PDB file of all heavy atoms in Angstrom:
ATOM      1  N   LEU A 131       3.544  14.178   8.576  1.00 98.00           N
ATOM      2  CA  LEU A 131       3.010  12.898   9.065  1.00 98.00           C
ATOM      3  C   LEU A 131       2.602  13.009  10.541  1.00 98.00           C
ATOM      4  O   LEU A 131       1.534  12.529  10.939  1.00 98.00           O
ATOM      5  CB  LEU A 131       4.063  11.797   8.884  1.00 98.00           C
ATOM      6  CG  LEU A 131       3.583  10.359   9.050  1.00 98.00           C
ATOM      7  CD1 LEU A 131       2.503  10.010   8.037  1.00 98.00           C
ATOM      8  CD2 LEU A 131       4.757   9.377   8.889  1.00 98.00           C
ATOM      9  N   MET A 135      -1.299  12.894  12.609  1.00 98.00           N
ATOM     10  CA  MET A 135      -1.706  12.181  13.830  1.00 98.00           C
ATOM     11  C   MET A 135      -2.483  13.130  14.742  1.00 98.00           C
ATOM     12  O   MET A 135      -3.478  12.758  15.352  1.00 98.00           O
ATOM     13  CB  MET A 135      -0.492  11.633  14.584  1.00 98.00           C
ATOM     14  CG  MET A 135       0.517  10.872  13.750  1.00 98.00           C
ATOM     15  SD  MET A 135      -0.208   9.501  12.839  1.00 98.00           S
ATOM     16  CE  MET A 135       1.205   8.825  11.990  1.00 98.00           C
ATOM     17  N   SER A 179      -1.410  12.934  19.620  1.00 98.00           N
ATOM     18  CA  SER A 179      -0.836  11.946  18.711  1.00 98.00           C
ATOM     19  C   SER A 179      -1.818  10.790  18.557  1.00 98.00           C
ATOM     20  O   SER A 179      -2.937  10.841  19.088  1.00 98.00           O
ATOM     21  CB  SER A 179       0.505  11.440  19.237  1.00 98.00           C
ATOM     22  OG  SER A 179       0.288  10.555  20.308  1.00 98.00           O
ATOM     23  N   GLN A 180      -1.404   9.759  17.839  1.00 96.00           N
ATOM     24  CA  GLN A 180      -2.353   8.713  17.444  1.00 96.00           C
ATOM     25  C   GLN A 180      -1.700   7.334  17.500  1.00 96.00           C
ATOM     26  O   GLN A 180      -1.540   6.672  16.473  1.00 96.00           O
ATOM     27  CB  GLN A 180      -2.799   9.033  16.017  1.00 96.00           C
ATOM     28  CG  GLN A 180      -4.082   8.414  15.591  1.00 96.00           C
ATOM     29  CD  GLN A 180      -4.323   8.694  14.121  1.00 96.00           C
ATOM     30  OE1 GLN A 180      -3.411   8.752  13.307  1.00 96.00           O
ATOM     31  NE2 GLN A 180      -5.564   8.871  13.763  1.00 96.00           N
ATOM     32  N   PRO A 181      -1.293   6.884  18.675  1.00 96.00           N
ATOM     33  CA  PRO A 181      -0.636   5.574  18.741  1.00 96.00           C
ATOM     34  C   PRO A 181      -1.644   4.422  18.738  1.00 96.00           C
ATOM     35  O   PRO A 181      -2.322   4.176  19.723  1.00 96.00           O
ATOM     36  CB  PRO A 181       0.128   5.638  20.074  1.00 96.00           C
ATOM     37  CG  PRO A 181      -0.577   6.656  20.891  1.00 96.00           C
ATOM     38  CD  PRO A 181      -1.356   7.542  19.985  1.00 96.00           C
ATOM     39  N   PHE A 182      -1.719   3.703  17.606  1.00 95.00           N
ATOM     40  CA  PHE A 182      -2.646   2.579  17.451  1.00 95.00           C
ATOM     41  C   PHE A 182      -1.879   1.249  17.413  1.00 95.00           C
ATOM     42  O   PHE A 182      -2.335   0.239  17.903  1.00 95.00           O
ATOM     43  CB  PHE A 182      -3.427   2.687  16.132  1.00 95.00           C
ATOM     44  CG  PHE A 182      -4.352   3.861  16.036  1.00 95.00           C
ATOM     45  CD1 PHE A 182      -4.475   4.786  17.060  1.00 95.00           C
ATOM     46  CD2 PHE A 182      -5.118   4.054  14.899  1.00 95.00           C
ATOM     47  CE1 PHE A 182      -5.324   5.870  16.957  1.00 95.00           C
ATOM     48  CE2 PHE A 182      -5.984   5.130  14.786  1.00 95.00           C
ATOM     49  CZ  PHE A 182      -6.081   6.039  15.817  1.00 95.00           C
ATOM     50  N   SER A 183      -0.725   1.284  16.742  1.00 96.00           N
ATOM     51  CA  SER A 183      -0.026   0.036  16.399  1.00 96.00           C
ATOM     52  C   SER A 183       0.492  -0.681  17.636  1.00 96.00           C
ATOM     53  O   SER A 183       1.011  -0.058  18.559  1.00 96.00           O
ATOM     54  CB  SER A 183       1.145   0.342  15.466  1.00 96.00           C
ATOM     55  OG  SER A 183       0.673   0.943  14.296  1.00 96.00           O
ATOM     56  N   GLU A 184       0.374  -2.021  17.565  1.00 96.00           N
ATOM     57  CA  GLU A 184       0.820  -2.827  18.713  1.00 96.00           C
ATOM     58  C   GLU A 184       1.772  -3.934  18.290  1.00 96.00           C
ATOM     59  O   GLU A 184       2.241  -4.705  19.121  1.00 96.00           O
ATOM     60  CB  GLU A 184      -0.399  -3.423  19.426  1.00 96.00           C
ATOM     61  CG  GLU A 184      -1.324  -2.354  19.990  1.00 96.00           C
ATOM     62  CD  GLU A 184      -2.527  -2.917  20.716  1.00 96.00           C
ATOM     63  OE1 GLU A 184      -2.904  -4.079  20.453  1.00 96.00           O
ATOM     64  OE2 GLU A 184      -3.092  -2.182  21.558  1.00 96.00           O
ATOM     65  N   GLY A 185       2.007  -4.047  16.966  1.00 92.00           N
ATOM     66  CA  GLY A 185       2.908  -5.098  16.495  1.00 92.00           C
ATOM     67  C   GLY A 185       2.188  -6.390  16.152  1.00 92.00           C
ATOM     68  O   GLY A 185       2.812  -7.335  15.681  1.00 92.00           O
ATOM     69  N   GLY A 186       0.883  -6.442  16.358  1.00 88.00           N
ATOM     70  CA  GLY A 186       0.100  -7.621  15.986  1.00 88.00           C
ATOM     71  C   GLY A 186      -0.906  -7.238  14.919  1.00 88.00           C
ATOM     72  O   GLY A 186      -0.723  -6.258  14.199  1.00 88.00           O
ATOM     73  N   ALA A 187      -1.998  -7.984  14.821  1.00 88.00           N
ATOM     74  CA  ALA A 187      -2.965  -7.770  13.745  1.00 88.00           C
ATOM     75  C   ALA A 187      -4.014  -6.699  14.071  1.00 88.00           C
ATOM     76  O   ALA A 187      -4.845  -6.379  13.231  1.00 88.00           O
ATOM     77  CB  ALA A 187      -3.674  -9.085  13.432  1.00 88.00           C
ATOM     78  N   ALA A 188      -3.947  -6.097  15.300  1.00 88.00           N
ATOM     79  CA  ALA A 188      -5.018  -5.176  15.699  1.00 88.00           C
ATOM     80  C   ALA A 188      -5.061  -3.917  14.838  1.00 88.00           C
ATOM     81  O   ALA A 188      -6.127  -3.505  14.376  1.00 88.00           O
ATOM     82  CB  ALA A 188      -4.870  -4.805  17.171  1.00 88.00           C
ATOM     83  N   ALA A 189      -3.890  -3.292  14.587  1.00 83.00           N
ATOM     84  CA  ALA A 189      -3.890  -2.037  13.833  1.00 83.00           C
ATOM     85  C   ALA A 189      -4.351  -2.261  12.400  1.00 83.00           C
ATOM     86  O   ALA A 189      -4.840  -1.339  11.745  1.00 83.00           O
ATOM     87  CB  ALA A 189      -2.513  -1.385  13.870  1.00 83.00           C
ATOM     88  N   ALA A 190      -4.199  -3.487  11.896  1.00 85.00           N
ATOM     89  CA  ALA A 190      -4.687  -3.801  10.545  1.00 85.00           C
ATOM     90  C   ALA A 190      -6.199  -4.054  10.561  1.00 85.00           C
ATOM     91  O   ALA A 190      -6.815  -4.290   9.526  1.00 85.00           O
ATOM     92  CB  ALA A 190      -3.954  -5.026   9.999  1.00 85.00           C
ATOM     93  N   GLY A 192      -7.687  -6.555  12.203  1.00 84.00           N
ATOM     94  CA  GLY A 192      -7.995  -7.988  12.266  1.00 84.00           C
ATOM     95  C   GLY A 192      -8.588  -8.451  13.583  1.00 84.00           C
ATOM     96  O   GLY A 192      -9.508  -9.270  13.608  1.00 84.00           O
ATOM     97  N   LYS A 212       2.040   0.409  22.988  1.00 98.00           N
ATOM     98  CA  LYS A 212       1.900   0.839  21.591  1.00 98.00           C
ATOM     99  C   LYS A 212       3.287   1.022  20.999  1.00 98.00           C
ATOM    100  O   LYS A 212       4.150   1.662  21.625  1.00 98.00           O
ATOM    101  CB  LYS A 212       1.137   2.180  21.521  1.00 98.00           C
ATOM    102  CG  LYS A 212      -0.310   2.100  22.009  1.00 98.00           C
ATOM    103  CD  LYS A 212      -1.194   1.376  21.022  1.00 98.00           C
ATOM    104  CE  LYS A 212      -2.630   1.237  21.516  1.00 98.00           C
ATOM    105  NZ  LYS A 212      -3.485   0.488  20.582  1.00 98.00           N
ATOM    106  N   ILE A 213       3.478   0.481  19.780  1.00 97.00           N
ATOM    107  CA  ILE A 213       4.769   0.648  19.108  1.00 97.00           C
ATOM    108  C   ILE A 213       4.643   1.723  18.030  1.00 97.00           C
ATOM    109  O   ILE A 213       3.545   2.113  17.665  1.00 97.00           O
ATOM    110  CB  ILE A 213       5.283  -0.661  18.478  1.00 97.00           C
ATOM    111  CG1 ILE A 213       4.344  -1.135  17.349  1.00 97.00           C
ATOM    112  CG2 ILE A 213       5.435  -1.749  19.543  1.00 97.00           C
ATOM    113  CD1 ILE A 213       4.958  -2.186  16.440  1.00 97.00           C
ATOM    114  N   PHE A 214       5.764   2.209  17.565  1.00 97.00           N
ATOM    115  CA  PHE A 214       5.763   3.201  16.481  1.00 97.00           C
ATOM    116  C   PHE A 214       4.853   4.384  16.810  1.00 97.00           C
ATOM    117  O   PHE A 214       4.059   4.811  15.976  1.00 97.00           O
ATOM    118  CB  PHE A 214       5.306   2.578  15.166  1.00 97.00           C
ATOM    119  CG  PHE A 214       6.410   1.893  14.408  1.00 97.00           C
ATOM    120  CD1 PHE A 214       6.765   0.593  14.708  1.00 97.00           C
ATOM    121  CD2 PHE A 214       7.100   2.541  13.393  1.00 97.00           C
ATOM    122  CE1 PHE A 214       7.787  -0.046  14.013  1.00 97.00           C
ATOM    123  CE2 PHE A 214       8.117   1.907  12.692  1.00 97.00           C
ATOM    124  CZ  PHE A 214       8.460   0.609  13.001  1.00 97.00           C
ATOM    125  N   ALA A 215       4.955   4.889  18.025  1.00 98.00           N
ATOM    126  CA  ALA A 215       4.076   5.981  18.448  1.00 98.00           C
ATOM    127  C   ALA A 215       4.714   7.316  18.090  1.00 98.00           C
ATOM    128  O   ALA A 215       5.520   7.860  18.845  1.00 98.00           O
ATOM    129  CB  ALA A 215       3.826   5.899  19.952  1.00 98.00           C
ATOM    130  N   SER A 216       4.383   7.819  16.883  1.00 98.00           N
ATOM    131  CA  SER A 216       4.912   9.125  16.470  1.00 98.00           C
ATOM    132  C   SER A 216       4.570  10.164  17.524  1.00 98.00           C
ATOM    133  O   SER A 216       3.510  10.085  18.149  1.00 98.00           O
ATOM    134  CB  SER A 216       4.307   9.543  15.130  1.00 98.00           C
ATOM    135  OG  SER A 216       4.724   8.677  14.106  1.00 98.00           O
ATOM    136  N   LEU A 217       5.446  11.115  17.714  1.00 98.00           N
ATOM    137  CA  LEU A 217       5.331  12.203  18.708  1.00 98.00           C
ATOM    138  C   LEU A 217       5.515  11.716  20.147  1.00 98.00           C
ATOM    139  O   LEU A 217       5.163  12.421  21.103  1.00 98.00           O
ATOM    140  CB  LEU A 217       3.986  12.950  18.623  1.00 98.00           C
ATOM    141  CG  LEU A 217       3.598  13.642  17.335  1.00 98.00           C
ATOM    142  CD1 LEU A 217       2.645  12.779  16.525  1.00 98.00           C
ATOM    143  CD2 LEU A 217       2.967  14.988  17.568  1.00 98.00           C
ATOM    144  N   TRP A 260      14.955   5.160  18.683  1.00 98.00           N
ATOM    145  CA  TRP A 260      14.324   5.469  17.395  1.00 98.00           C
ATOM    146  C   TRP A 260      15.422   5.901  16.435  1.00 98.00           C
ATOM    147  O   TRP A 260      15.914   7.024  16.522  1.00 98.00           O
ATOM    148  CB  TRP A 260      13.289   6.580  17.570  1.00 98.00           C
ATOM    149  CG  TRP A 260      12.644   7.027  16.278  1.00 98.00           C
ATOM    150  CD1 TRP A 260      12.798   8.230  15.645  1.00 98.00           C
ATOM    151  CD2 TRP A 260      11.732   6.276  15.451  1.00 98.00           C
ATOM    152  NE1 TRP A 260      12.058   8.275  14.482  1.00 98.00           N
ATOM    153  CE2 TRP A 260      11.394   7.085  14.345  1.00 98.00           C
ATOM    154  CE3 TRP A 260      11.184   5.001  15.544  1.00 98.00           C
ATOM    155  CZ2 TRP A 260      10.525   6.658  13.340  1.00 98.00           C
ATOM    156  CZ3 TRP A 260      10.315   4.569  14.535  1.00 98.00           C
ATOM    157  CH2 TRP A 260       9.994   5.396  13.449  1.00 98.00           C
ATOM    158  N   GLY A 264      13.776   6.276   7.539  1.00 98.00           N
ATOM    159  CA  GLY A 264      13.151   7.535   7.126  1.00 98.00           C
ATOM    160  C   GLY A 264      12.136   8.001   8.155  1.00 98.00           C
ATOM    161  O   GLY A 264      11.919   7.347   9.171  1.00 98.00           O
ATOM    162  N   MET A 265      11.553   9.168   7.882  1.00 98.00           N
ATOM    163  CA  MET A 265      10.584   9.776   8.804  1.00 98.00           C
ATOM    164  C   MET A 265      11.176   9.835  10.215  1.00 98.00           C
ATOM    165  O   MET A 265      10.487   9.590  11.197  1.00 98.00           O
ATOM    166  CB  MET A 265       9.262   8.992   8.791  1.00 98.00           C
ATOM    167  CG  MET A 265       8.507   9.115   7.495  1.00 98.00           C
ATOM    168  SD  MET A 265       7.941  10.813   7.239  1.00 98.00           S
ATOM    169  CE  MET A 265       7.021  10.649   5.716  1.00 98.00           C
ATOM    170  N   ARG A 266      12.449  10.209  10.234  1.00 98.00           N
ATOM    171  CA  ARG A 266      13.197  10.129  11.488  1.00 98.00           C
ATOM    172  C   ARG A 266      12.707  11.141  12.522  1.00 98.00           C
ATOM    173  O   ARG A 266      12.768  10.896  13.726  1.00 98.00           O
ATOM    174  CB  ARG A 266      14.685  10.346  11.205  1.00 98.00           C
ATOM    175  CG  ARG A 266      15.294   9.218  10.382  1.00 98.00           C
ATOM    176  CD  ARG A 266      16.721   9.530   9.913  1.00 98.00           C
ATOM    177  NE  ARG A 266      17.635   9.844  10.983  1.00 98.00           N
ATOM    178  CZ  ARG A 266      18.208   8.944  11.785  1.00 98.00           C
ATOM    179  NH1 ARG A 266      17.970   7.657  11.599  1.00 98.00           N
ATOM    180  NH2 ARG A 266      19.033   9.320  12.747  1.00 98.00           N
ATOM    181  N   THR A 268       9.785  11.932  13.235  1.00 98.00           N
ATOM    182  CA  THR A 268       8.501  11.613  13.877  1.00 98.00           C
ATOM    183  C   THR A 268       8.714  11.065  15.291  1.00 98.00           C
ATOM    184  O   THR A 268       7.787  11.047  16.098  1.00 98.00           O
ATOM    185  CB  THR A 268       7.690  10.564  13.075  1.00 98.00           C
ATOM    186  OG1 THR A 268       8.462   9.357  12.984  1.00 98.00           O
ATOM    187  CG2 THR A 268       7.348  11.046  11.671  1.00 98.00           C
ATOM    188  N   SER A 270       9.074   7.974  16.674  1.00 98.00           N
ATOM    189  CA  SER A 270       7.979   7.029  16.920  1.00 98.00           C
ATOM    190  C   SER A 270       8.444   5.892  17.838  1.00 98.00           C
ATOM    191  O   SER A 270       8.619   4.749  17.401  1.00 98.00           O
ATOM    192  CB  SER A 270       7.465   6.483  15.584  1.00 98.00           C
ATOM    193  OG  SER A 270       7.171   7.544  14.706  1.00 98.00           O
ATOM    194  N   LEU A 306      -3.214   9.125   5.972  1.00 98.00           N
ATOM    195  CA  LEU A 306      -1.748   9.079   5.984  1.00 98.00           C
ATOM    196  C   LEU A 306      -1.175   9.441   4.612  1.00 98.00           C
ATOM    197  O   LEU A 306       0.010   9.699   4.480  1.00 98.00           O
ATOM    198  CB  LEU A 306      -1.257   7.684   6.390  1.00 98.00           C
ATOM    199  CG  LEU A 306      -1.576   7.280   7.843  1.00 98.00           C
ATOM    200  CD1 LEU A 306      -1.339   5.786   8.046  1.00 98.00           C
ATOM    201  CD2 LEU A 306      -0.753   8.085   8.828  1.00 98.00           C
ATOM    202  N   TYR A 310       2.561  11.757   1.761  1.00 98.00           N
ATOM    203  CA  TYR A 310       3.314  11.077   0.711  1.00 98.00           C
ATOM    204  C   TYR A 310       2.983  11.654  -0.666  1.00 98.00           C
ATOM    205  O   TYR A 310       3.821  11.625  -1.569  1.00 98.00           O
ATOM    206  CB  TYR A 310       3.073   9.560   0.800  1.00 98.00           C
ATOM    207  CG  TYR A 310       3.654   9.015   2.098  1.00 98.00           C
ATOM    208  CD1 TYR A 310       2.880   8.935   3.259  1.00 98.00           C
ATOM    209  CD2 TYR A 310       4.986   8.658   2.183  1.00 98.00           C
ATOM    210  CE1 TYR A 310       3.421   8.481   4.460  1.00 98.00           C
ATOM    211  CE2 TYR A 310       5.536   8.204   3.376  1.00 98.00           C
ATOM    212  CZ  TYR A 310       4.757   8.115   4.510  1.00 98.00           C
ATOM    213  OH  TYR A 310       5.300   7.684   5.688  1.00 98.00           O
ATOM    214  N   CYS A 422       8.675   4.868   3.584  1.00 98.00           N
ATOM    215  CA  CYS A 422       7.886   4.437   4.751  1.00 98.00           C
ATOM    216  C   CYS A 422       6.396   4.295   4.460  1.00 98.00           C
ATOM    217  O   CYS A 422       5.682   3.579   5.171  1.00 98.00           O
ATOM    218  CB  CYS A 422       8.062   5.439   5.895  1.00 98.00           C
ATOM    219  SG  CYS A 422       9.776   5.583   6.442  1.00 98.00           S
ATOM    220  N   LEU A 425       4.351   1.028   4.237  1.00 97.00           N
ATOM    221  CA  LEU A 425       4.417   0.140   5.409  1.00 97.00           C
ATOM    222  C   LEU A 425       3.377   0.486   6.456  1.00 97.00           C
ATOM    223  O   LEU A 425       3.241  -0.218   7.464  1.00 97.00           O
ATOM    224  CB  LEU A 425       5.798   0.257   6.080  1.00 97.00           C
ATOM    225  CG  LEU A 425       7.030   0.285   5.177  1.00 97.00           C
ATOM    226  CD1 LEU A 425       8.285   0.426   6.009  1.00 97.00           C
ATOM    227  CD2 LEU A 425       7.091  -0.975   4.327  1.00 97.00           C
ATOM    228  N   MET A 426       2.668   1.577   6.239  1.00 96.00           N
ATOM    229  CA  MET A 426       1.860   2.115   7.331  1.00 96.00           C
ATOM    230  C   MET A 426       0.478   1.476   7.418  1.00 96.00           C
ATOM    231  O   MET A 426      -0.306   1.521   6.482  1.00 96.00           O
ATOM    232  CB  MET A 426       1.769   3.640   7.211  1.00 96.00           C
ATOM    233  CG  MET A 426       3.184   4.244   7.286  1.00 96.00           C
ATOM    234  SD  MET A 426       3.227   5.989   7.681  1.00 96.00           S
ATOM    235  CE  MET A 426       2.722   5.987   9.375  1.00 96.00           C
ATOM    236  N   LEU A 427       0.206   0.908   8.552  1.00 95.00           N
ATOM    237  CA  LEU A 427      -1.106   0.318   8.822  1.00 95.00           C
ATOM    238  C   LEU A 427      -2.125   1.425   9.112  1.00 95.00           C
ATOM    239  O   LEU A 427      -1.728   2.506   9.510  1.00 95.00           O
ATOM    240  CB  LEU A 427      -1.000  -0.605  10.036  1.00 95.00           C
ATOM    241  CG  LEU A 427      -0.249  -1.918   9.804  1.00 95.00           C
ATOM    242  CD1 LEU A 427       0.038  -2.610  11.131  1.00 95.00           C
ATOM    243  CD2 LEU A 427      -1.047  -2.843   8.895  1.00 95.00           C
ATOM    244  N   PRO A 428      -3.414   1.197   8.943  1.00 95.00           N
ATOM    245  CA  PRO A 428      -3.999  -0.098   8.579  1.00 95.00           C
ATOM    246  C   PRO A 428      -4.005  -0.380   7.077  1.00 95.00           C
ATOM    247  O   PRO A 428      -4.286  -1.514   6.691  1.00 95.00           O
ATOM    248  CB  PRO A 428      -5.435   0.017   9.093  1.00 95.00           C
ATOM    249  CG  PRO A 428      -5.735   1.473   9.062  1.00 95.00           C
ATOM    250  CD  PRO A 428      -4.441   2.178   9.343  1.00 95.00           C
ATOM    251  N   THR A 430      -1.605  -0.723   4.570  1.00 97.00           N
ATOM    252  CA  THR A 430      -0.315  -0.924   3.919  1.00 97.00           C
ATOM    253  C   THR A 430      -0.570  -1.243   2.448  1.00 97.00           C
ATOM    254  O   THR A 430      -1.686  -1.634   2.062  1.00 97.00           O
ATOM    255  CB  THR A 430       0.443  -2.107   4.541  1.00 97.00           C
ATOM    256  OG1 THR A 430      -0.326  -3.294   4.313  1.00 97.00           O
ATOM    257  CG2 THR A 430       0.664  -1.939   6.043  1.00 97.00           C
ATOM    258  N   GLU A 432       0.372  -3.789   0.826  1.00 98.00           N
ATOM    259  CA  GLU A 432      -0.033  -5.206   0.739  1.00 98.00           C
ATOM    260  C   GLU A 432      -1.506  -5.391   1.096  1.00 98.00           C
ATOM    261  O   GLU A 432      -2.237  -6.114   0.434  1.00 98.00           O
ATOM    262  CB  GLU A 432       0.800  -6.050   1.711  1.00 98.00           C
ATOM    263  CG  GLU A 432       2.227  -6.276   1.275  1.00 98.00           C
ATOM    264  CD  GLU A 432       2.999  -7.085   2.301  1.00 98.00           C
ATOM    265  OE1 GLU A 432       2.517  -7.238   3.440  1.00 98.00           O
ATOM    266  OE2 GLU A 432       4.083  -7.560   1.952  1.00 98.00           O
ATOM    267  N   ILE A 433      -1.916  -4.744   2.181  1.00 97.00           N
ATOM    268  CA  ILE A 433      -3.313  -4.902   2.618  1.00 97.00           C
ATOM    269  C   ILE A 433      -4.260  -4.297   1.580  1.00 97.00           C
ATOM    270  O   ILE A 433      -5.339  -4.854   1.306  1.00 97.00           O
ATOM    271  CB  ILE A 433      -3.508  -4.297   4.021  1.00 97.00           C
ATOM    272  CG1 ILE A 433      -2.803  -5.183   5.053  1.00 97.00           C
ATOM    273  CG2 ILE A 433      -4.993  -4.138   4.373  1.00 97.00           C
ATOM    274  CD1 ILE A 433      -2.888  -4.706   6.492  1.00 97.00           C
ATOM    275  N   ASP A 436      -4.576  -6.805  -1.170  1.00 97.00           N
ATOM    276  CA  ASP A 436      -5.308  -7.951  -0.643  1.00 97.00           C
ATOM    277  C   ASP A 436      -6.818  -7.665  -0.659  1.00 97.00           C
ATOM    278  O   ASP A 436      -7.629  -8.468  -1.138  1.00 97.00           O
ATOM    279  CB  ASP A 436      -4.795  -8.167   0.787  1.00 97.00           C
ATOM    280  CG  ASP A 436      -5.356  -9.400   1.440  1.00 97.00           C
ATOM    281  OD1 ASP A 436      -5.356 -10.440   0.777  1.00 97.00           O
ATOM    282  OD2 ASP A 436      -5.798  -9.310   2.601  1.00 97.00           O
TER     283      ASP A 436
HETATM  284  C1  LIG B  27       7.519   6.509  10.172  1.00 88.81           C
HETATM  285  C2  LIG B  27       6.415   5.736  10.784  1.00 88.81           C
HETATM  286  C3  LIG B  27       5.580   6.335  11.718  1.00 88.81           C
HETATM  287  C4  LIG B  27       4.564   5.627  12.311  1.00 88.81           C
HETATM  288  N1  LIG B  27       3.755   6.252  13.203  1.00 88.81           N
HETATM  289  C5  LIG B  27       2.719   5.575  13.757  1.00 88.81           C
HETATM  290  C6  LIG B  27       1.835   6.204  14.701  1.00 88.81           C
HETATM  291  O1  LIG B  27       1.977   7.385  15.027  1.00 88.81           O
HETATM  292  N2  LIG B  27       0.843   5.468  15.222  1.00 88.81           N
HETATM  293  C7  LIG B  27       0.653   4.180  14.899  1.00 88.81           C
HETATM  294  O2  LIG B  27      -0.271   3.599  15.390  1.00 88.81           O
HETATM  295  N3  LIG B  27       1.472   3.547  14.026  1.00 88.81           N
HETATM  296  C8  LIG B  27       2.490   4.216  13.446  1.00 88.81           C
HETATM  297  N4  LIG B  27       3.330   3.579  12.581  1.00 88.81           N
HETATM  298  C9  LIG B  27       3.263   2.123  12.489  1.00 88.81           C
HETATM  299  C10 LIG B  27       2.698   1.554  11.225  1.00 88.81           C
HETATM  300  O3  LIG B  27       1.420   1.988  10.939  1.00 88.81           O
HETATM  301  C11 LIG B  27       2.720   0.046  11.335  1.00 88.81           C
HETATM  302  O4  LIG B  27       2.000  -0.357  12.456  1.00 88.81           O
HETATM  303  C12 LIG B  27       4.067  -0.526  11.442  1.00 88.81           C
HETATM  304  O5  LIG B  27       4.848  -0.085  10.372  1.00 88.81           O
HETATM  305  C13 LIG B  27       3.872  -2.039  11.431  1.00 88.81           C
HETATM  306  O6  LIG B  27       5.087  -2.672  11.528  1.00 88.81           O
HETATM  307  P1  LIG B  27       5.099  -4.258  11.566  1.00 88.81           P
HETATM  308  O7  LIG B  27       6.494  -4.682  11.267  1.00 88.81           O
HETATM  309  O8  LIG B  27       4.480  -4.728  12.829  1.00 88.81           O
HETATM  310  O9  LIG B  27       4.159  -4.569  10.322  1.00 88.81           O
HETATM  311  P2  LIG B  27       3.683  -5.875   9.637  1.00 88.81           P
HETATM  312  O10 LIG B  27       4.336  -7.084  10.220  1.00 88.81           O
HETATM  313  O11 LIG B  27       3.807  -5.670   8.162  1.00 88.81           O
HETATM  314  O12 LIG B  27       2.166  -5.880   9.981  1.00 88.81           O
HETATM  315  C14 LIG B  27       1.702  -5.824  11.308  1.00 88.81           C
HETATM  316  C15 LIG B  27       0.684  -6.875  11.622  1.00 88.81           C
HETATM  317  O13 LIG B  27      -0.508  -6.655  10.891  1.00 88.81           O
HETATM  318  C16 LIG B  27      -1.026  -7.858  10.434  1.00 88.81           C
HETATM  319  N5  LIG B  27      -1.119  -7.869   8.963  1.00 88.81           N
HETATM  320  C17 LIG B  27      -0.138  -7.612   8.075  1.00 88.81           C
HETATM  321  N6  LIG B  27      -0.582  -7.781   6.848  1.00 88.81           N
HETATM  322  C18 LIG B  27      -1.870  -8.153   6.947  1.00 88.81           C
HETATM  323  C19 LIG B  27      -2.861  -8.501   5.993  1.00 88.81           C
HETATM  324  N7  LIG B  27      -2.615  -8.517   4.675  1.00 88.81           N
HETATM  325  N8  LIG B  27      -4.092  -8.818   6.456  1.00 88.81           N
HETATM  326  C20 LIG B  27      -4.339  -8.821   7.763  1.00 88.81           C
HETATM  327  N9  LIG B  27      -3.435  -8.527   8.706  1.00 88.81           N
HETATM  328  C21 LIG B  27      -2.223  -8.193   8.297  1.00 88.81           C
HETATM  329  C22 LIG B  27      -0.106  -8.976  10.892  1.00 88.81           C
HETATM  330  O14 LIG B  27      -0.675  -9.599  11.988  1.00 88.81           O
HETATM  331  C23 LIG B  27       1.168  -8.268  11.258  1.00 88.81           C
HETATM  332  O15 LIG B  27       1.809  -8.858  12.320  1.00 88.81           O
HETATM  333  C24 LIG B  27       4.359   4.265  11.973  1.00 88.81           C
HETATM  334  C25 LIG B  27       5.190   3.653  11.029  1.00 88.81           C
HETATM  335  C26 LIG B  27       6.209   4.365  10.434  1.00 88.81           C
HETATM  336  C27 LIG B  27       7.067   3.697   9.424  1.00 88.81           C
END
Side-chain angles (χ1 to χ4, degrees):
L131 193 61
M135 312 305 180
S179 75
Q180 201 186 35
F182 295 1
S183 300
E184 298 181 338
K212 296 287 178 182
I213 64 164
F214 275 84
S216 294
L217 300 99
W260 176 249
M265 292 294 183
R266 293 171 56 78
T268 60
S270 308
L306 294 167
Y310 294 91
C422 299
L425 317 179
M426 300 198 70
L427 288 168
T430 63
E432 286 178 346
I433 289 179
D436 185 46

